[in-house]
Amino acid sequence: MPLAIDTRSTAYLQGQTLGLAVVLAVGIVVVRVLTRRWRNPVALAPEDLPRVTALRKKRRILLALATVVICALFTTKFVLDVRSETPYGSAAATGPTDRTVDAPDTVAGYHLITGEAAARLAAKTKSGTSEHFWFYSKAPGGTQPSVVFSASTAAWDPKEAAEKSEHSLEWLFVNFFAGAEVEDAKDVDPGPLGGLMRCGRTQSGNLVICHWEDAGTAGTVMTAGAVDIQQASTLALQFRNAAEH
């Protein structure tokens, strides 16, 4: 299953390094076998020996140079991949892991729904995980949510802590948006808290979902209606900056 393979993990990187070394080693052996006669021309007469000796030396130098160039090209590609925008290694290694998340009372004109209305909404969203859900209404004292904000931290959930230790941020995002049925998630500004944030529209088109991941927390802001990605990302960033400390 493709989602089970973390192509941005340290283990994948180590395996890729080993695989590259094996391919290069096998390739060098094959080339040396196939070019044995070419590298070792035979003098048919004594007077040809100086010329053949010089030719043998020249061909060996050319083959050595070609091998060095090929190795350099493979190494350059590998280094560029390592230095790509999405880091290799575990998500837990990308920043502080001791941040907390608290639901703010108001964010960008949205008001936290409390009391029995909040309890009823929370009962409908039980996920069997430690993820916390909060619901926000556009009107003070409202009971119908316009925005749903959820978050979790590694401190709340040992399973999440293990995933952040074992997998990369990229892997976490791929699996999250696959589950949310969002195919076109785009990178947006994660703000001063760092990590990564992406937003996308669900396949049904009814919701825009923005999700962030950092070393110790994860958060999601879901908005309904005709809101565009830019508006949703701005709102998600406001929620994150207000909630994560």
Side-chain angles (χ1 to χ4, degrees):
M1 185 174 67
L3 294 182
I5 302 173
D6 188 353
T7 59
R8 296 291 179 179
S9 67
T10 300
Y12 186 89
L13 175 60
Q14 292 170 342
Q16 196 175 41
T17 303
L18 178 60
L20 176 62
V22 171
V23 169
L24 287 176
V26 171
I28 291 172
V29 171
V30 170
V31 169
R32 290 187 63 83
V33 170
L34 294 178
T35 61
R36 183 177 298 165
R37 289 188 177 182
W38 181 80
R39 287 183 290 108
N40 300 286
V42 178
L44 299 178
E47 58 270 20
D48 292 334
L49 186 59
R51 179 184 63 81
V52 171
T53 300
L55 181 61
R56 183 185 299 127
K57 182 179 180 180
K58 179 180 179 181
R59 288 180 177 180
R60 288 179 176 178
I61 291 174
L62 287 174
L63 184 61
L65 288 175
T67 302
V68 170
V69 170
I70 292 173
C71 290
L73 290 174
F74 271 94
T75 302
T76 300
K77 181 182 182 303
F78 176 73
V79 171
L80 290 176
D81 286 343
V82 172
R83 294 181 178 179
S84 61
E85 183 178 351
T86 304
Y88 285 88
S90 70
T94 63
T97 58
D98 57 352
R99 290 175 180 166
T100 59
V101 176
D102 299 303
D105 292 331
T106 59
V107 178
Y110 291 92
H111 303 268
L112 179 65
I113 298 175
T114 59
E116 292 184 3
R120 287 195 298 270
L121 291 168
K124 297 178 181 179
T125 56
K126 287 184 177 180
S127 61
T129 70
S130 64
E131 186 176 16
H132 293 192
F133 286 82
W134 298 277
F135 306 89
Y136 287 80
S137 171
K138 193 65 175 174
T143 59
Q144 297 300 316
S146 300
V147 173
V148 178
F149 167 49
S150 65
S152 59
T153 74
W156 297 346
D157 189 350
K159 180 180 178 181
E160 180 169 337
E163 286 186 341
K164 287 182 180 291
S165 295
E166 295 171 4
H167 299 291
S168 65
L169 289 175
E170 181 67 19
W171 185 91
L172 297 172
F173 271 101
V174 168
N175 283 274
F176 173 84
F177 280 112
E181 298 185 347
V182 174
E183 297 180 347
D184 63 343
K186 302 292 190 300
D187 286 337
V188 297
D189 180 16
L193 293 170
L196 294 176
M197 183 185 290
R198 290 177 184 170
C199 298
R201 191 175 295 276
T202 58
Q203 293 178 9
S204 65
N206 296 328
L207 288 174
V208 175
I209 298 178
C210 290
H211 182 71
W212 81 76
E213 292 274 359
D214 58 36
T217 73
T220 305
V221 174
M222 294 176 282
T223 54
V227 62
D228 63 28
I229 297 298
Q230 184 57 50
Q231 290 174 318
S233 67
T234 299
L235 180 61
L237 185 56
Q238 290 175 298
F239 266 90
R240 185 187 184 191
N241 289 340
E244 185 174 338
H245 311 285

